Amino acid sequence: MLVVVLSGCARAPRASDSSADIFPPDDHPIRATAPVDMLRCTDRATIPALDNVTNAVWSPDSSAVAMSRIAVIPSHTTITGYEEQLRITVYYLESGRVQEIGQGSRPQWSGSGAYLSYWRDDGYLYVNLAGTIAGTIEASSPEVRWNGDDLYYWYADEIRVWHDGVAQTLSHVDPDLIPRYPRDDSYFSADAKRFTVARYSLDGTTERYIGVTATGEMKKLAGDDTTFTEWAPRGETLLVRSNAKLELIEPDGAEQFAAVSTFGGAVHGWTSDGRLLVGAVSATVPGGNVFDHIPVWDPTDDQDKAIATLPNLFGTRSFSPDGRWFTGVSRTGLYETQLELYRCGVNGQGIDLRADPAARSRLGRIDDASRRFIRPVAGAVSQFLQGNHTGVDIAAPYGSIIVAADDGVIDAAGWVQVGGRRVCVQHAEGFESCYYHTSAALVSIGDRVARGQPIALIGMTGATTGPHVHWEVKENGRIVDPLAH
């Protein structure tokens, strides 16, 4: 998820008004200070080694990052002899302190930053306060939203609010429209005043609804070709994507449209004040080795668009709320990753990625590996290739970027039974990789893609156990283990 802070940021000067001279009464010229471009994030910070991060969430005051990280633990039930478990870690920027919370995923900060909620495998929401458990909440979906220190969540047909250890029912929804996770999914707007529900069917159809939190009232969203919806990081603006177009729906019902083909790429992200970034992200191998230039979509101004200069990190790509930092992950191997922080608004050129020894070393390790396929998403393996399971499942947050595991040509994109929306890549030497349960496709049949190039977004189409990608590889038509090639 790409989040950029624009408020309070000056736009880069045009040629006609840059380098202005100011003459005070004593006639001694003073050179005006050039505006700082807070969308330019080109200075990599030195931070502790935080490996295998699947998603990262900033505290409201930008002083800390909470993240889910993969821990490898022994297992007697998997064919590999190990499994990957998600654990919560918090990194405090000023002190450099790293705090381990324990098993869990989907961390979310409260509006004050005092509380940190997360989801555990036992099916409960946990609320952490100053290192202690302040609440254990039974919920029917892991998707929650804080508004201030009020936590909004689902319990069957009820929308409930937890505050300071006490939960109460706010509203009920139509019993016929109860979101039953993981068959359905539901998300609250950034201010928790509205919500969406998507109901997936195995025949490829999806019913989408938008509702009012305070009353539980829901109405159907128009658009049978919609593949993806997402709330802006502030307010109640809703993004609606199809393979062909983007649409923004405002709280007052106003709509703005644009064809995907009019942009320089199909990857999207948000500014923190609710504007959209749409453009191309370079191949994420290793990540943090190329700067991309992604424009802000401003339908009211086609001439002077703001441009974000960002490293080609993947995973959870986000700006801190104060706009001073950009974060994501880079690869340290075919499967391994590490968290990266880049400073924004720096003067000068920042780091020269072409000569950066760290990026070149990471790329060398990837190129020298005996296997060819990289992990296609920053996520944890939830099921291996064994028994009747024909691929490797990798769980990641809804909307995360899925990339091609190797160079190739897109040879399939569309709906299939059970697997939902898929994208397939034909590789050299008779290999084909397919990525199932996706939402928005970022490529079309016939496109050539590089290893690490974004091709789709994580979704929940088909038969799923939550947001993940089913990664399947065939060699000359025969199923093989992606992790062995």
Side-chain angles (χ1 to χ4, degrees), residues 122-471:
D122 61 9
Y124 286 88
L125 289 169
Y126 287 79
V127 181
N128 187 285
L129 174 65
T132 63
I133 300 298
T136 303
I137 303 170
E138 186 177 3
S140 57
S141 170
E143 296 300 333
V144 304
R145 178 70 71 179
W146 287 94
N147 185 11
D149 285 342
D150 293 335
L151 178 62
Y152 292 75
Y153 66 96
W154 287 92
Y155 183 78
D157 68 328
E158 301 177 26
I159 297 177
R160 293 183 174 182
V161 181
W162 180 94
H163 179 86
D164 196 22
V166 178
Q168 63 179 1
T169 300
L170 184 65
S171 61
H172 294 261
V173 300
D174 186 328
D176 293 332
L177 299 178
I178 298 173
R180 293 181 170 87
Y181 185 86
R183 189 188 71 182
D184 312 320
D185 65 356
S186 57
Y187 300 91
F188 292 101
S189 61
D191 57 10
K193 292 182 179 180
R194 296 201 295 170
F195 62 89
T196 55
V197 172
R199 311 191 76 184
Y200 304 104
S201 300
L202 293 180
D203 63 2
T205 60
T206 302
E207 293 181 349
R208 299 179 186 272
Y209 297 86
I210 187 167
V212 178
T213 304
T215 64
E217 296 178 359
M218 301 165 65
K219 66 177 182 180
K220 196 170 184 178
L221 274 174
D224 293 336
D225 59 346
T226 298
T227 62
F228 182 87
T229 59
E230 185 176 68
W231 293 104
R234 287 189 182 179
E236 303 169 49
T237 300
L238 181 67
L239 168 66
V240 180
R241 283 193 70 144
S242 69
N243 289 334
K245 74 177 180 182
L246 302 178
E247 176 184 0
L248 290 176
I249 303 177
E250 303 296 340
D252 61 3
E255 300 179 355
Q256 298 172 335
F257 301 88
V260 174
S261 60
T262 62
F263 300 100
V267 178
H268 79 266
W270 293 99
T271 66
S272 65
D273 60 357
R275 290 185 288 172
L276 201 65
L277 291 170
V278 187
V281 172
S282 301
T284 62
V285 177
N289 63 320
V290 175
F291 286 125
D292 295 320
H293 304 283
I294 305 178
V296 174
W297 177 31
D298 184 357
T300 65
D301 187 353
D302 293 330
Q303 302 300 320
D304 190 14
K305 294 186 181 297
I307 303 291
T309 303
L310 308 172
N312 63 327
L313 303 176
F314 70 116
T316 301
R317 296 160 50 89
S318 62
F319 279 71
S320 60
D322 63 8
R324 296 175 56 196
W325 302 95
F326 176 74
T327 187
V329 301
S330 62
R331 299 181 192 274
T332 56
L334 294 180
Y335 309 142
E336 300 80 14
T337 65
Q338 66 181 24
L339 187 73
E340 303 275 12
L341 288 184
Y342 277 73
R343 293 184 181 88
C344 304
V346 296
N347 292 319
Q349 297 299 312
I351 189 172
D352 181 2
L353 294 179
R354 294 171 298 179
D356 177 43
R360 294 175 67 178
S361 176
R362 295 195 303 268
L363 183 60
R365 288 195 295 272
I366 295 170
D367 288 341
D368 291 343
S370 58
R371 291 167 291 180
R372 63 189 294 176
F373 292 129
I374 59 172
R375 184 171 296 207
V377 69
V381 172
S382 56
Q383 190 171 0
F384 293 95
L385 174 69
Q386 61 185 104
N388 294 324
H389 192 248
T390 59
V392 173
D393 287 349
I394 305 177
Y398 180 83
S400 298
I401 293 173
I402 302 169
V403 305
D406 198 11
D407 302 339
V409 177
I410 303 298
D411 67 339
W415 181 269
V416 293
Q417 287 287 340
V418 182
R421 297 186 182 275
R422 68 168 178 175
V423 174
C424 295
V425 184
Q426 184 67 53
H427 308 287
E429 300 173 352
F431 283 92
E432 181 191 47
S433 63
C434 290
Y435 312 82
Y436 295 88
H437 309 307
T438 70
S439 52
L442 305 178
V443 290
S444 301
I445 293 176
D447 288 351
R448 290 192 170 274
V449 295
R451 182 169 62 167
Q453 181 175 330
I455 58 174
L457 302 181
I458 287 284
M460 290 177 58
T461 58
T464 72
T465 56
H468 75 279
V469 61
H470 176 86
W471 177 30

Side-chain angles (χ1 to χ4, degrees), residues 62-74:
S62 305
S63 67
V65 181
M67 65 201 82
S68 299
R69 300 172 63 197
I70 301 170
V72 177
I73 60 176

